[in-house]
Amino acid sequence: MFFHINTDSEKPIYIQIFDAIKEMIETNMLPAHSKLPSTREMGRLLGVSRSTVITAFECLESSGFIYTLNGKGTFVSPKKIKLNNEWNIDWKEKFNQYAYDTEDLDLMKNGMPYKKGMISFKSIAPDENLFDIDEIKRSFMDLMGVEGNKILNYGYAKGYRPLINFIMEYMKKIGAALENKSVIITNGFTEGFDLVLDSLTSAGDKVLCENPTHNTAIKQMRLHGLDIHGVNMDENGMDVSALESELLKCQFKLAYLIPSYHNPTGISISYDRRKELYDVFKQHNVPIVEDGFSEELQHHSSHIAPMVAVSGKENSVIYIGSFSKILFPGMRIGWIFGDEVLIDMLQSVKRAKNIHTSFLDQGILYHYMQSGSYEKYIKKIRNIYGDKCQYTIKLIKKYLPWEYISGEGGLYVFIKLKNIDSHKLLENCYKRGVLFMPGDVFYVENPAKNALRLSFSRNSYEELEKGIKIIGEECMKF
Amino acid sequence: MFFHINTDSEKPIYIQIFDAIKEMIETNMLPAHSKLPSTREMGRLLGVSRSTVITAFECLESSGFIYTLNGKGTFVSPKKIKLNNEWNIDWKEKFNQYAYDTEDLDLMKNGMPYKKGMISFKSIAPDENLFDIDEIKRSFMDLMGVEGNKILNYGYAKGYRPLINFIMEYMKKIGAALENKSVIITNGFTEGFDLVLDSLTSAGDKVLCENPTHNTAIKQMRLHGLDIHGVNMDENGMDVSALESELLKCQFKLAYLIPSYHNPTGISISYDRRKELYDVFKQHNVPIVEDGFSEELQHHSSHIAPMVAVSGKENSVIYIGSFSKILFPGMRIGWIFGDEVLIDMLQSVKRAKNIHTSFLDQGILYHYMQSGSYEKYIKKIRNIYGDKCQYTIKLIKKYLPWEYISGEGGLYVFIKLKNIDSHKLLENCYKRGVLFMPGDVFYVENPAKNALRLSFSRNSYEELEKGIKIIGEECMKF
């Protein structure tokens, strides 16, 4: 620190020192908590008496610019805000990188927004008009009759015991072995996957997934700073030899898979392929996180055992389930099924983040599920969505220059168009009131520029035809 | 890499090489993906022909011990698990430090567990018998009548619009200025505070709080790796000069405060003290996170404006509210009120973690609140808890060797005993079926070893007397 003292000036020297240091503090040349030279040293540096420097320091201290710690020295105070000034925090300066990353990866903020009157093929929410409200009301009243006040008080991080038991039975029905396994209830799939990543991964870890895959899962893996490797799919799911050669490259922390009704392609992997994939993961000792988000939703074919059933009594698959894609997403109920040691740890993580998932919702869902309403509902919607899916595919074949179509279950189909950039296509369709999901958001590498996902769940047959016809007309202009 | 080749052995040399390398891989001397010397170099090292080494490598490769990347060399494969062996993952080896920290700080796992028949002064849950179930049923039916199916489908990260509007009005009633402010709905206080810490802090950041303070908040700050500085309290709340001297030491990222019905002490800070504290934070430019978790719960005195009201139109206070301590904690509904730039960012963070909070619960709560049921309920419970609080204090004065008692609102009182270690006392009381919260868990530094928190909310008058008498008897034995 050095500055010029003007001995000819009429301004007293201690005030010159005061002004000079004050300015350096105000212009951030001296940052908060930085140490000043001692009065003795500064006197020597400036060629003035130590007592003059002491007087200047006393003024600086009483004005709040510096502070003294006994025996340690004198330091720059953090900047003071005058009480009569307005305290206006620039929050944008305060956010950390994580927050900015969530915003960058937030499709709700960065995508083209839905506007009233548009035909949207974007969201994969179920059609709420199919919900059986009378059964929900009955479930609520049943719950209130049985548990009344108790269900509204604090519960446990693991979840509502009757619902947990119900889900254990459900897992058994779809083929899972229950020995040494357990369940924790989460706020939907998204929280479930977040808890798993929070507990098992660290930034820089390598993870595997299908390429393409569920865009929210990609976002979550990116936000955890993971090094994501995508394995290509053929028309029957993840390619076994592509997986093997990827697994030879390095050690992976875990793999994220959607074996049934894959998002976005709608592909369900056959039992034989599942077994093959499982054996490859087993040989390379890479645990599998299985996303069973719409396990129940296949329209016509018979159910295929999930990976967690393929694993038998082994403890290598973490199954994350959710009813959100079919039933009441507004409730946000999902679950994690896996090794009981894992589930026990996840309870502590869940408790640290939000104590537990709504017991009221868990109770209503339990009463709904165990009454048999669910089976009836599933039967109904399978037919409705199945017919709609067939109709959508028919329209695509009629109106679009398609190269590839997949989607044998679920609420959407995945299409690759002939030499058409889906982002440019979306821009043009948007002007005509039609919205869809461009396919590249689902890729972790080598994005298909000509792909799109069309969700049909909430559109009427008329809207489906009108919307797909518009997309077709816009395709013609390329 | 070097090992001995026995040229006199009957074992062919290529098999000797195979066995030696296989053993080094199996004993982890050669870790996965480490590079082997070239065949030429290894031949030279071992004094054997290159073609012998090539034969050995071919065997190693076909047995899966090594793999070759063209042009790059030969590498050790990750360890293979034989398909007929059981794949048994040791999950304890897989958890990261964060997961272990949540477990270490998990009082539910580490504290003494409640057993049936015990008298517990531990939990600060409200008494569920006071919940007005008929009003909840009516709110649910009203909601179903108005929103029906829609409320069960996906909603928005920010929350259910009518509830947000209601809470904005509520914030206005308690004195907050609404200009440029906004609200996001969270899964209770805990998630609200987690979102704030996730977005604004990084490991190593310095934060301030009262000492003692809410143990869950301490846990959350620790889990975010923050450097927590506690400021001592006197009988009227945080000490102003202690705060000033702490703020001179370094720059703080934020301060966490519970100005009303402080947990664990029950102290509410007077308006004048709030103003003084606010001005000190303002001068030092340290934003305040205000925990208003039971703002409404004071028993007899008149309401004091929260810090967010003291801040006027300034944007420096992040207010986290919750009805959990009074109303339906099982629902997990809380909110964050603050600068709209901040709330907008928190939407992206919330969406990345769990999409949104249950719209069903938000809808029920809204219909409950806006019908006026809440005011009636609050009036009722204020009297009930107020009387119980007075009775509890009377019993403490009668039975316990107390040095200090505080708690003018809330569901608990905080006590310091004369020269009694509260952990030893708890051990003895636990044997006699009485449970309470030892005071040291609420401290970030200099824990009071003689303190305890007694919650009275869920105990009958008889249980209160029986339990406190037992604590008193155990105190006598010290």
Side-chain angles (χ1 to χ4, degrees):
Chain A
M1 176 188 302
F2 195 74
F3 44 86
H4 184 64
I5 297 291
N6 183 356
T7 44
D8 298 334
S9 163
E10 283 184 16
K11 211 189 246 184
I13 291 173
Y14 82 91
I15 298 216
Q16 290 185 46
I17 298 173
F18 175 91
D19 284 345
I21 295 179
K22 177 171 171 283
E23 201 193 322
M24 282 193 270
I25 291 172
E26 285 177 341
T27 57
N28 271 331
M29 274 174 63
L30 289 174
H33 306 294
S34 58
K35 196 177 175 185
L36 296 181
S38 69
T39 48
R40 189 181 308 275
E41 197 186 346
M42 189 169 293
R44 200 179 50 72
L45 279 167
L46 299 174
V48 301
S49 78
R50 187 185 168 204
S51 65
T52 306
V53 178
I54 290 175
T55 310
F57 274 30
E58 281 167 357
C59 293
L60 285 163
E61 185 154 11
S62 66
S63 314
F65 287 105
I66 63 173
Y67 61 96
T68 304
L69 293 178
N70 279 339
K72 290 190 177 166
T74 305
F75 301 85
V76 175
S77 298
K79 235 170 247 165
K80 288 215 168 191
I81 292 176
K82 284 191 196 132
L83 287 177
N84 54 351
N85 284 2
E86 202 184 320
W87 186 12
N88 195 9
I89 293 175
D90 182 358
W91 286 104
K92 287 195 174 150
E93 272 187 6
K94 302 274 182 189
F95 298 129
N96 57 24
Q97 193 55 46
Y98 172 78
Y100 277 110
D101 288 347
T102 64
E103 195 163 62
D104 285 347
L105 297 169
D106 189 345
L107 283 183
M108 291 290 278
K109 282 189 184 169
N110 302 315
M112 293 182 179
Y114 171 79
K115 289 177 191 163
K116 217 174 168 172
M118 280 187 160
I119 297 176
S120 176
F121 297 101
K122 193 174 172 182
S123 149
I124 55 173
D127 182 357
E128 66 249 22
N129 296 314
L130 299 176
F131 296 159
D132 194 346
I133 290 297
D134 287 337
E135 284 303 301
I136 296 287
K137 287 184 189 164
R138 186 202 42 73
S139 306
F140 174 83
M141 286 304 178
D142 287 354
L143 173 68
M144 286 294 136
V146 180
E147 302 265 356
N149 307 41
K150 219 175 123 194
I151 198 88
L152 295 165
N153 214 334
Y154 278 111
Y156 305 96
K158 198 171 189 317
Y160 178 56
R161 175 54 57 193
L163 182 64
I164 290 174
N165 293 343
F166 181 89
I167 289 175
M168 288 291 278
E169 278 307 304
Y170 170 84
M171 293 307 299
K172 195 173 157 189
K173 264 187 226 156
I174 64 172
L178 304 189
E179 289 90 342
N180 307 317
K181 299 283 163 55
S182 194
V183 157
I184 182 172
I185 306 292
T186 62
N187 298 326
F189 164 81
T190 309
E191 195 203 31
F193 194 40
D194 223 47
L195 292 177
V196 167
L197 296 181
D198 281 339
S199 311
L200 296 175
T201 69
S202 307
D205 280 351
K206 292 170 170 55
V207 292
L208 258 176
C209 63
E210 288 130 343
N211 189 41
T213 191
H214 182 27
N215 55 311
T216 299
I218 297 176
K219 172 164 95 169
Q220 294 182 275
M221 294 188 282
R222 290 219 170 110
L223 287 172
H224 281 81
L226 303 178
D227 179 10
I228 313 170
H229 292 234
V231 177
N232 286 337
M233 301 172 68
D234 60 26
E235 66 278 17
N236 298 312
M238 185 181 260
D239 187 276
V240 180
S241 58
L243 172 65
E244 278 189 301
S245 82
E246 198 63 37
L247 284 171
L248 281 177
K249 284 186 195 158
C250 48
Q251 185 64 41
F252 290 90
K253 202 62 174 262
L254 54 84
Y256 165 73
L257 293 188
I258 321 174
S260 295
Y261 325 110
H262 177 263
N263 187 1
T265 67
I267 292 168
S268 284
I269 302 177
S270 69
Y271 181 81
D272 289 346
R273 174 79 67 98
R274 283 176 198 223
K275 183 85 183 70
E276 265 186 284
L277 289 169
Y278 182 80
D279 287 346
V280 173
F281 283 114
K282 175 172 178 172
Q283 286 190 301
H284 289 85
N285 199 11
V286 177
I288 299 162
V289 178
E290 176 172 25
D291 180 348
F293 82 113
S294 58
E295 194 71 57
E296 292 273 302
L297 201 59
Q298 92 274 38
H299 302 152
H300 299 296
S301 51
S302 62
H303 189 77
I304 303 164
M307 292 295 252
V308 74
V310 174
S311 76
K313 288 184 182 174
E314 296 177 336
N315 68 352
S316 44
V317 177
I318 303 170
Y319 181 94
I320 307 180
S322 159
F323 296 115
S324 293
K325 282 295 165 295
I326 2 177
L327 207 66
F328 325 141
M331 270 194 190
R332 314 297 313 126
I333 305 271
W335 71 90
I336 307 172
F337 172 87
D339 189 279
E340 58 190 6
V341 171
L342 175 79
I343 300 298
D344 185 62
M345 180 60 97
L346 294 180
Q347 284 181 59
S348 291
V349 180
K350 166 93 181 159
R351 197 176 283 123
K353 289 182 176 291
N354 54 39
I355 316 287
H356 62 68
T357 291
S358 166
F359 263 51
L360 180 65
D361 294 354
Q362 293 186 55
I364 295 173
L365 192 62
Y366 165 69
H367 280 275
Y368 179 86
M369 298 300 289
Q370 65 101 40
S371 72
S373 304
Y374 180 66
E375 276 76 21
K376 267 183 270 171
Y377 171 75
I378 276 291
K379 214 173 271 179
K380 176 175 84 173
I381 65 164
R382 261 188 208 155
N383 288 329
I384 292 173
Y385 289 134
D387 291 350
K388 235 182 193 181
C389 183
Q390 293 313 312
Y391 187 67
T392 304
I393 289 171
K394 215 178 82 185
L395 292 170
I396 290 167
K397 289 184 175 166
K398 183 170 171 191
Y399 291 114
L400 302 190
W402 62 279
E403 186 182 292
Y404 170 89
I405 307 177
S406 65
E408 51 188 299
L411 309 172
Y412 44 81
V413 290
F414 189 69
I415 314 164
K416 286 182 184 168
L417 298 171
K418 286 180 186 149
N419 295 320
I420 289 174
D421 181 307
S422 59
H423 271 277
K424 281 186 197 148
L425 179 65
L426 174 59
E427 265 174 48
N428 298 341
C429 290
Y430 190 73
K431 287 176 200 153
R432 295 185 62 189
V434 174
L435 204 54
F436 57 78
M437 198 67 127
D440 58 349
V441 303
F442 301 103
Y443 285 82
V444 294
E445 50 201 60
N446 309 318
K449 296 206 180 304
N450 60 337
L452 49 145
R453 188 188 69 187
L454 294 188
S455 165
F456 49 76
S457 53
R458 297 168 90 185
N459 293 313
S460 67
Y461 278 61
E462 293 69 36
E463 286 170 328
L464 286 175
E465 173 138 28
K466 193 178 164 199
I468 291 170
K469 207 174 154 195
I470 288 175
I471 300 174
E473 286 164 11
E474 291 304 322
C475 284
M476 293 308 153
K477 298 180 186 165
F478 272 78
Chain B
M1 179 189 299
F2 195 75
F3 43 84
H4 184 64
I5 297 290
N6 184 355
T7 45
D8 299 334
S9 165
E10 283 185 16
K11 209 190 252 184
I13 291 175
Y14 82 92
I15 297 213
Q16 289 186 48
I17 298 173
F18 176 92
D19 285 345
I21 295 180
K22 175 171 172 283
E23 200 193 325
M24 282 192 269
I25 291 172
E26 286 178 338
T27 56
N28 270 331
M29 273 175 65
L30 288 174
H33 306 295
S34 56
K35 194 178 177 184
L36 296 181
S38 68
T39 47
R40 188 181 308 273
E41 197 186 348
M42 190 168 293
R44 198 178 49 74
L45 277 167
L46 299 174
V48 302
S49 77
R50 187 183 168 205
S51 65
T52 308
V53 178
I54 289 175
T55 311
F57 274 30
E58 282 168 356
C59 294
L60 285 163
E61 187 154 8
S62 66
S63 316
F65 288 104
I66 62 174
Y67 62 96
T68 304
L69 293 178
N70 279 340
K72 289 190 176 166
T74 305
F75 301 84
V76 175
S77 298
K79 234 170 248 164
K80 288 214 168 192
I81 293 176
K82 282 188 197 138
L83 287 176
N84 54 351
N85 283 1
E86 200 181 325
W87 187 11
N88 195 10
I89 293 176
D90 182 358
W91 287 104
K92 287 196 174 149
E93 271 186 8
K94 301 273 183 191
F95 298 129
N96 58 23
Q97 192 54 46
Y98 172 79
Y100 276 111
D101 289 346
T102 64
E103 195 163 62
D104 286 346
L105 296 170
D106 189 345
L107 283 182
M108 291 290 277
K109 282 190 185 169
N110 302 313
M112 293 180 179
Y114 171 78
K115 289 177 191 163
K116 215 172 170 175
M118 280 187 160
I119 297 176
S120 175
F121 297 102
K122 193 172 172 186
S123 149
I124 56 173
D127 181 358
E128 66 251 21
N129 296 314
L130 300 175
F131 297 158
D132 194 346
I133 290 297
D134 287 338
E135 284 301 302
I136 296 286
K137 287 183 188 164
R138 185 202 44 74
S139 306
F140 174 83
M141 286 304 180
D142 286 356
L143 173 69
M144 286 294 137
V146 180
E147 302 265 358
N149 307 40
K150 220 176 122 192
I151 198 87
L152 294 166
N153 215 332
Y154 278 110
Y156 305 96
K158 199 172 190 316
Y160 179 56
R161 174 57 54 192
L163 182 64
I164 290 173
N165 293 343
F166 181 88
I167 288 175
M168 288 292 275
E169 280 305 306
Y170 169 83
M171 293 307 298
K172 197 172 156 189
K173 266 188 223 154
I174 63 172
L178 303 188
E179 288 91 341
N180 306 317
K181 300 284 162 53
S182 194
V183 157
I184 182 171
I185 306 293
T186 63
N187 299 325
F189 164 82
T190 308
E191 193 203 30
F193 193 41
D194 223 48
L195 293 177
V196 167
L197 296 180
D198 280 340
S199 310
L200 296 175
T201 69
S202 306
D205 280 351
K206 291 170 171 57
V207 292
L208 259 176
C209 63
E210 288 132 341
N211 189 42
T213 193
H214 182 27
N215 55 311
T216 299
I218 296 175
K219 172 164 94 169
Q220 294 182 275
M221 294 188 282
R222 290 220 170 109
L223 288 172
H224 281 80
L226 303 178
D227 179 10
I228 312 170
H229 292 234
V231 178
N232 286 336
M233 302 172 69
D234 60 27
E235 66 275 19
N236 299 312
M238 186 181 261
D239 187 276
V240 180
S241 58
L243 171 64
E244 279 189 299
S245 81
E246 198 64 37
L247 285 171
L248 280 176
K249 285 186 195 157
C250 51
Q251 186 65 42
F252 290 91
K253 202 62 169 263
L254 54 83
Y256 166 72
L257 293 188
I258 320 173
S260 296
Y261 326 108
H262 177 263
N263 186 2
T265 67
I267 292 169
S268 284
I269 302 176
S270 70
Y271 182 80
D272 289 346
R273 174 78 66 96
R274 283 176 197 221
K275 185 84 182 72
E276 266 185 284
L277 289 168
Y278 182 78
D279 286 347
V280 172
F281 283 115
K282 176 172 178 172
Q283 285 189 303
H284 289 86
N285 200 9
V286 176
I288 299 162
V289 178
E290 177 173 22
D291 179 348
F293 81 112
S294 57
E295 194 71 59
E296 291 271 303
L297 200 61
Q298 93 274 41
H299 302 153
H300 300 297
S301 52
S302 62
H303 189 76
I304 303 165
M307 292 296 254
V308 74
V310 175
S311 76
K313 289 183 183 175
E314 294 177 339
N315 69 352
S316 44
V317 177
I318 304 169
Y319 181 94
I320 307 180
S322 158
F323 296 115
S324 293
K325 283 294 168 297
I326 3 179
L327 208 65
F328 326 140
M331 271 193 189
R332 316 295 315 128
I333 305 272
W335 70 90
I336 306 172
F337 171 87
D339 189 278
E340 59 191 6
V341 171
L342 175 79
I343 300 299
D344 185 62
M345 180 61 97
L346 293 180
Q347 284 179 61
S348 291
V349 180
K350 166 93 181 158
R351 197 176 283 123
K353 288 182 178 291
N354 54 40
I355 316 287
H356 62 68
T357 291
S358 166
F359 263 51
L360 180 64
D361 293 353
Q362 293 186 55
I364 296 174
L365 192 61
Y366 165 68
H367 281 273
Y368 179 85
M369 298 300 289
Q370 64 102 39
S371 73
S373 304
Y374 180 63
E375 276 77 21
K376 268 185 270 170
Y377 171 73
I378 277 289
K379 214 174 271 178
K380 176 176 82 173
I381 64 162
R382 262 188 207 155
N383 288 329
I384 292 173
Y385 288 135
D387 292 350
K388 234 182 194 180
C389 184
Q390 292 313 313
Y391 187 67
T392 304
I393 290 172
K394 214 177 84 184
L395 292 170
I396 290 166
K397 288 185 175 167
K398 184 172 170 188
Y399 291 114
L400 302 190
W402 62 282
E403 185 182 290
Y404 169 89
I405 308 176
S406 66
E408 50 188 299
L411 308 173
Y412 43 82
V413 290
F414 190 68
I415 315 164
K416 286 181 184 168
L417 298 170
K418 287 179 185 150
N419 296 318
I420 289 174
D421 183 307
S422 59
H423 271 277
K424 281 188 196 146
L425 179 66
L426 175 59
E427 265 175 48
N428 298 340
C429 290
Y430 190 74
K431 287 177 200 152
R432 296 185 61 189
V434 174
L435 205 54
F436 58 79
M437 197 67 126
D440 58 348
V441 302
F442 301 103
Y443 286 82
V444 295
E445 49 200 62
N446 308 318
K449 296 207 182 303
N450 60 336
L452 49 143
R453 188 187 69 187
L454 293 188
S455 165
F456 50 77
S457 54
R458 296 169 90 182
N459 292 314
S460 67
Y461 278 61
E462 293 68 38
E463 285 171 328
L464 286 175
E465 174 139 26
K466 192 178 163 196
I468 291 172
K469 208 174 152 193
I470 288 176
I471 300 174
E473 286 165 8
E474 291 304 322
C475 282
M476 292 308 152
K477 298 181 186 164
F478 272 78

